[in-house]
Each structure stands twice: as structure tokens, then as C-alpha cells.
Amino acid sequence: MTTTRLTIIRPDDWHVHLRDEAMLQMALPWTARTFGRAIVMPNLDPPVTTAAQAAAYRDRIRRVLPDGSRFEPLMTCFLTDETGPEDIARGFAERVLTAVKMYPARSTTNSAAGVTDFRRVYRVLERMQAVGMPLLIHGEVADQETDVFDREKAFIDRVLVRLRADFPALRIVLEHITTAEAVDYVQDAAGPIGATITAHHLMINRNAMFAGGIRPHMYCLPVAKRESHRLALRKAAISGDPRFFLGTDSAPHLIQDKESACGCAGIFTAPLALELYAQVFEEERALDRLAAFASLNGARFYGLPPNTEAVTLVQSPWQPPELLPVGEADQVRVFCPEGKARWRLLEPAD
Ligand code: NCD
Ligand code: ZN
């Protein structure tokens, strides 16, 4: 019998870009409609680098939340060569900060202030390890000599192995993994490491960027890889292995910033992310494991209880909005590779 209706504990998004100002106003209601909590990325311009800045950003997010929403933003700050161990440890103790985000310098959108050399942040990492604060890693080397499709594997081999040997008890999330090598590494690693997987990396391979012409809305970082990697990610996501959990990496950019001679990296999935994950799990005949991936594994990694509410998805094809307005004059494009979504999240009024 095919499942046409599925109720699971309300999921969380363990990696999302909510942005600020008009973009925040557009993006936040979509995330808050589905997810109970989300790990909010700090790569604003300029980035959120201190606990005080994270607290101020959290206030701005709360002010934009729809009335009655119980959505909880979990804040991060951006690790730089200058980050102070005291500031982030205090932010963690005071529950302003949930984690620290590490971008290798210039690896992705607004990451110029990222870490230039790991040895410069060793004091911060020592402190994080001591207090149990998670480090969230954009796992790509940023050097121009390394092929763009090899940057995740190169990061694991050249940086992550060494980092984990030096900090075996540091809680690490390898964010938005895109390769079979990352799946294998996380699966086989001893110690506290997990990985998030996006909906889009479960749905598209790198061909999607070149289907009939250059497709800027299929471009994100880490860039989608070849089909064998997509299949490995699917296997990991549906495995039930508690190390793998949902992180959309929903990352809106204005249309004109995507459709440009130098288009930004980022795919905006927030309006239908859970629906897309449900489709993937259905295709893999693994709907019974969606709750583990979406609602349980991440909370467990972060030492948080699962959400107490439930959400219901029904199999009922619908047409998500293709474009959404941002402010008075701008728009973003919503990722939906098949034009329609097969699953729909029931709204409280349904
Ligand atoms: C993200 C963004 O736009 O902020 N882009 C992306 O392609 N994922 C940055 C990031 O998470 O790398
Ligand atoms: Zn991201």
C-alpha cells in the first residue's frame, strides 16, 4: 500500500540562511511554517562574529516572526582568525550561541573573514571542545589550484583528519555534504561528528547546472557532484544512521544576483524543503525513516529534546510559487526542479 499521509514530529532545519531586512522578511515565514528550530548561519554582510552581534540578530529575527509562531532561531557566530575564546564560551553558556561556524576564507558567499589557517584558531577550538560547543564546518578547501569538484574531499584529507586528531572530543558537523567520500568519512569516524544533507543535493547532480544551457539557479556551494555521489547521499539520508540529519542550506539570493555574469552560489528551498525531502524518502521507499533524519537525529546531536508538536504531510501535488517578492521591487526564485511538489504540508487551517 502506498502511503499518502504522514505525520511526524515537527522537524528542525540544522543549517539555514535567513539573511536580514527585506530578505529576512521574505524567507523567515517559510522556515518558521515548517521547522521548530533552525541553526541560523552567520554569513551576513558584515558577518556575525560575536555573541553580542548574534543576540542582536536573534532579536531582529524574532521581530519578523509571524504572530503566534513558536519557531526558535538557534544562533551561530562566524569563526575568524580574531575570534575570542571567552566571548564565544560565554555566549554558549548564556544560550545566545548554539554553535560556531567555520568557513575557510573566501570559500563561499560573504566568507572573506573566514579562517585563513586552522592553527590560528586552535585556542578557540580548545575552549569549544572543553565546553562541548559544536563547530559547524563548511568543508571545502578554498585554494584555486584544487578543482572545484574535489574541494570537499581535499578538505577532509588535508584539514579535517588533522583537526579531528588534534581535537578528538570536539563536536563537529560537516555541513551540506555532497560526496560519497564525506558520507564514508562521517559514517566510519569514531567520535562526535555528524553531517547535514540538503534537499537539493539529494535531488540534482551536476548535470542540472548545464541542462540545455547554464542554469544559475542550480548553482550552490558546495557545488552538486556527479550522480554516484547523489546516490551515496540518498543512501546516507535514509539509512537512519543518527549522524546524518536535515539541513536545507536554503540560501536565497535576488534574481539579478543569480542571473549575472558572476552569479552567487545558493539555492532557495525553504518554501518546500520538507516536501522535497519527503519526495526523496518516498522514492527510496523509506518514508518510515524521514522522522529520524528530519526530526530526531539533529536534536540528539545538539543535545536538545525533539519538538513536541507534530506536522502532517499529504501526497497531493501542488504548484509552489516560482518567484517570491522581496521588498518593493525584487524577487527570488524558488527551487523546484520538477515544477510541482508531490507532497504538501498541511497548514493548521486544512
Ligand atoms: C550560501 C549563501 O548563499 O550564503 N551559499 C550556498 O551556495 N550554500 C553560503 C554557504 O552556505 O556556503
Ligand atoms: Zn549554507
Side-chain angles (χ1 to χ4, degrees):
M1 211 188 78
T2 52
T3 308
T4 55
R5 190 185 176 93
L6 181 69
T7 297
I8 59 171
I9 293 177
R10 187 180 285 285
D12 302 298
D13 185 348
W14 299 103
H15 180 130
V16 70
H17 300 267
L18 295 177
R19 314 295 196 210
D20 219 342
E21 300 177 349
M23 193 70 105
L24 172 65
Q25 288 179 25
M26 183 284 301
L28 178 63
W30 293 107
T31 292
R33 145 187 183 269
T34 303
F35 298 103
R37 296 164 289 205
I39 290 276
V40 181
M41 288 297 123
N43 62 330
L44 304 180
D45 186 14
V48 173
T49 54
T50 64
Q53 288 168 359
Y57 184 28
R58 186 171 64 178
D59 288 344
R60 297 200 295 282
I61 293 169
R62 285 177 174 158
R63 279 201 292 274
V64 173
L65 270 179
D67 284 346
S69 172
R70 295 170 63 187
F71 173 78
E72 198 186 332
L74 303 175
M75 308 309 292
T76 61
C77 78
F78 192 113
L79 185 61
T80 74
D81 292 352
E82 274 76 51
T83 301
E86 287 313 314
D87 181 60
I88 58 125
R90 197 176 327 113
F92 184 60
E94 291 172 357
R95 295 173 188 270
V96 172
L97 291 174
T98 298
V100 170
K101 178 66 194 262
M102 199 288 301
Y103 295 92
R106 285 171 291 283
S107 54
T108 188
T109 309
N110 297 339
S111 64
V115 174
T116 58
D117 181 340
F118 264 89
R119 282 160 296 200
R120 301 210 178 159
V121 293
Y122 263 41
R123 278 181 48 247
V124 180
L125 300 182
E126 259 166 22
R127 193 64 194 271
M128 289 171 61
Q129 176 172 251
V131 300
M133 185 174 194
L135 177 70
L136 316 183
I137 299 182
H138 182 112
E140 289 192 290
V141 295
D143 64 282
Q144 295 309 304
E145 295 76 55
T146 305
D147 189 277
V148 67
F149 293 102
D150 297 335
R151 287 181 188 169
E152 185 171 281
K153 176 176 167 20
F155 180 87
I156 295 170
D157 296 343
R158 288 192 231 151
V159 184
L160 190 56
V161 168
R162 160 98 188 271
L163 182 75
R164 295 195 60 249
D166 291 350
F167 299 97
L170 181 60
R171 305 189 66 70
I172 289 177
V173 183
L174 193 54
E175 300 278 38
H176 41 51
I177 57 170
T178 58
T179 57
E181 287 86 0
V183 168
D184 289 345
Y185 178 79
V186 170
Q187 231 158 26
D188 299 344
I193 182 165
T196 53
I197 306 178
T198 75
H200 49 278
H201 288 114
L202 294 170
M203 297 193 81
I204 60 167
N205 63 33
R206 62 192 192 179
N207 287 348
M209 287 182 293
F210 310 106
I214 188 92
R215 302 274 179 174
H217 296 285
M218 298 291 175
Y219 173 59
C220 64
L221 285 171
V223 69
K225 307 296 191 296
R226 62 170 70 238
E227 179 66 359
S228 54
H229 295 286
R230 184 181 77 102
L231 297 179
L233 296 174
R234 283 192 163 221
K235 221 169 139 196
I238 64 161
S239 67
D241 184 331
R243 290 163 184 261
F244 298 107
F245 38 89
L246 185 159
T248 63
D249 195 16
S250 176
H253 290 278
L254 298 182
I255 293 248
Q256 61 267 33
D257 296 331
K258 293 286 293 173
E259 298 173 9
S260 141
C262 186
C264 292
I267 292 182
F268 180 52
T269 52
L272 73 168
L274 182 63
E275 294 85 335
L276 294 178
Y277 284 111
Q279 178 173 330
V280 167
F281 277 66
E282 182 204 359
E283 287 163 359
E284 298 290 333
R285 299 177 197 284
L287 277 173
D288 57 327
R289 271 166 271 158
L290 181 63
F293 177 76
S295 316
L296 301 176
N297 296 349
R300 180 157 123 182
F301 182 90
Y302 280 91
L304 295 168
N307 291 311
T308 50
E309 299 169 3
V311 296
T312 297
L313 289 151
V314 290
Q315 216 185 89
S316 156
W318 61 291
Q319 182 94 50
E322 267 178 59
L323 299 168
L324 288 167
V326 178
E328 299 283 296
D330 291 312
Q331 288 183 311
V332 292
R333 181 169 286 279
V334 178
F335 176 83
C336 188
E338 292 168 12
K340 276 198 165 175
R342 282 219 295 276
W343 288 82
R344 191 165 64 84
L345 182 69
L346 289 190
E347 301 290 342
D350 282 330

